[in-house]
């Protein structure tokens, strides 16, 4: 999906500049078509140390990439 590809690339660029110790290549990405109240969410599984960032499709459609790219940056802070 184009949104996930763009989000991954943006995350790689942001992490390189602002979060150099974050293993961004290990983050799993998904798109939620059901979420209504949030643009994104970061999930962490302490048992496996897996990080998943879920982005909300509806928020992307409503706000466009320029504003939505800030959601990706924000979720990286949680990661």
């Amino acid at each position: 999906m184009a949104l996930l590809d763009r989000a991954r690339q943006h995350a790689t660029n942001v992490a390189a500049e602002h979060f150099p110790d974050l293993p961004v290549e290990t983050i799993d990405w998904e798109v939620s078509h059901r979420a209504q109240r949030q643009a994104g969410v970061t999930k962490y599984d302490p048992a496996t140390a897996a990080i998943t960032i879920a982005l909300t499709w509806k928020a992307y459609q409503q706000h466009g990439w320029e504003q939505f790219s800030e959601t990706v940056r924000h979720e990286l802070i949680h990661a």
Side-chain angles (χ1 to χ4, degrees), residues 27-38:
I27 296 173
D28 292 320
W29 296 83
E30 55 189 45
V31 172
S32 172
H33 293 276
R34 298 180 325 173
Q36 299 290 319
R37 297 185 326 192
Q38 58 197 17

Side-chain angles (χ1 to χ4, degrees), residues 2-78:
L3 173 58
L4 291 182
D5 291 341
R6 195 167 189 185
R8 280 186 195 102
Q9 184 58 56
H10 183 62
T12 299
N13 296 341
V14 169
E17 184 175 349
H18 299 286
F19 312 108
D21 295 330
L22 178 65
V24 72
E25 68 281 353
T26 65
I27 296 173
D28 292 320
W29 296 83
E30 55 189 45
V31 172
S32 172
H33 293 276
R34 298 180 325 173
Q36 299 290 319
R37 297 185 326 192
Q38 58 197 17
V41 65
T42 299
K43 304 173 216 172
Y44 176 72
D45 182 344
T48 64
I51 300 169
T52 302
I53 296 178
L55 303 173
T56 305
W57 180 252
K58 187 173 184 176
Y60 171 68
Q61 285 183 311
Q62 287 178 336
H63 302 294
W65 176 252
E66 284 304 314
Q67 188 172 350
F68 198 73
S69 66
E70 293 300 316
T71 298
V72 173
R73 179 185 298 254
H74 176 84
E75 294 308 320
L76 288 176
I77 292 168
H78 293 294

